[in-house]
Amino acid sequence: MIHTRLTELLGIRYPIFQGGMAWVSDAHLAAAVSNAGGMGIISAMNAPPDYLREQIALCRTMTDKPFGVNIMLMSPHVEQTAQVVAQERVPVVTTGAGLPSRFMPAWLAADIRVVPVIPSVAIARRVAREGACAVVAEGCEAGGHIGELTTMTLVPQIVDAVDIPVLAAGGIADGRGVAAALMLGAQGVQCGTRFLAATECTIPDCYKDYVVAARDIDTVVTGRRLGHPVRALKNSYMREFARREADTAISNEELEQFGTGALWRAARQGDMETGCVMAGQAAALVKEKLPARDIVEGMFKEAEQLLKGAGQWVV
Ligand code: TUI
């Protein structure tokens, strides 16, 4: 068994969070990961508060284990969804795409464990000061909205900068990644891309197959011009986005408009050509579709064996 400060703190068997992915991380996936002994996370994404309330209720019918909600801070409904998690007293809240500062007092008052996903040392220090109980240090290998630094360089710097537990994210999809993250000083990991191919994940099979088929150089980052770079799998939509991004005659508003609905088309409609198929570089490490329990148990069994064998290098 791999026991860390994170398993202690949150009462989970394995120190793994499932990433809160928009249009992907619903109650079904979250409950499956929590039932497997990890921390399942429902994505509040851009949805209105009633959607989130329903998903939390549904998740509670499928698991009696702790689960969390990811609040995407750029959501137009963020003020209301931030209230919903406090009212529902969700055990864990992760945040992404911004600073959660203004919501922290209400969440802490509701006894919520707040775990911001962060891309830099300064932001980690700030959220730790404001009461975060842990942080997810997410490297730019990750899918979706990303920062500048790699997991390999970001994680040890965050570990040195804050006293709270750190989860490593970005590029982790197997036991080797888990073992490496622990060696960097992390107390756990967050995986998104690996769970895209979970049996319980409700995205269309063609999205899962696209992830399984992905090779090393099959992701691309677009959206730097808009100030929020996004990593996704290459397809005709991403090629067209890159073309429009380079075209100075196209305004930022027009570019934003072209981004609207693209992830929904891929994740809910199965449109692999004109949808945005978000995934991280770890897609190349995802070899098969498996139940969440097998993913979690397999990763930690492999990590345990690697860590036990680590002494072989020391003479
Ligand atoms: O949030 C994510 N990944 C996401 S959110 C998302 S929805 C979206 N779609 C298109 C454009 C923008 C968002 C898809 N994937 N990961 C966690 C994460 N947080 N990555 C980077 C950050 C972050 C960035 C800046 C966290 C804090 C931060 O603070 C700086 C500031 O000034 O707000």
Side-chain angles (χ1 to χ4, degrees), residues 211-230:
V211 171
V212 170
R215 299 156 310 161
D216 53 354
I217 56 166
D218 284 345
T219 72
V220 63
V221 179
T222 56
R224 286 215 162 85
R225 196 178 109 186
L226 300 172
H228 43 77
V230 166

Side-chain angles (χ1 to χ4, degrees), residues 10 18 30-31 47 68 71 77 79-80 99 117 139 219 221 233 287 296 314:
L10 301 176
Q18 159 249 314
I71 298 290
H77 302 286
E79 305 292 332
Q80 294 140 293
L99 296 170
V117 182
T219 72
V221 179
L233 290 170
K287 302 288 196 307
V296 172
V314 183

Side-chain angles (χ1 to χ4, degrees), residues 20-23 43 45-46 70-75 95-100 116-120 123-124 126-127 136 138-139 142-148 190 222-223 226-231 256 259 263 276 278:
M21 298 169 282
W23 295 113
S43 171
M45 50 177 183
N46 270 333
N70 176 260
I71 298 290
M72 208 281 280
L73 292 159
M74 284 167 55
S75 164
T95 63
L99 296 170
V117 182
I118 52 90
S120 71
I123 297 176
R126 175 164 171 176
V127 297
V136 177
E138 188 184 80
H145 178 46
I146 51 171
E148 289 294 334
Q190 174 171 284
T222 56
L226 300 172
H228 43 77
V230 166
R231 184 184 297 283
E256 291 275 11
L263 175 58
C276 178
M278 279 191 203

Side-chain angles (χ1 to χ4, degrees), residues 142-206:
H145 178 46
I146 51 171
E148 289 294 334
L149 299 174
T150 60
T151 304
M152 191 81 160
T153 56
L154 181 66
V155 172
Q157 292 185 74
I158 305 284
V159 167
D160 288 346
V162 298
D163 291 328
I164 52 178
V166 175
L167 294 89
I172 301 171
D174 57 25
R176 295 172 294 184
V178 172
L182 295 175
M183 288 292 102
L184 293 175
Q187 304 281 323
V189 296
Q190 174 171 284
C191 299
T193 300
R194 184 65 191 91
F195 289 113
L196 286 170
T199 315
E200 299 88 344
C201 180
T202 59
I203 58 174
D205 235 30
C206 57

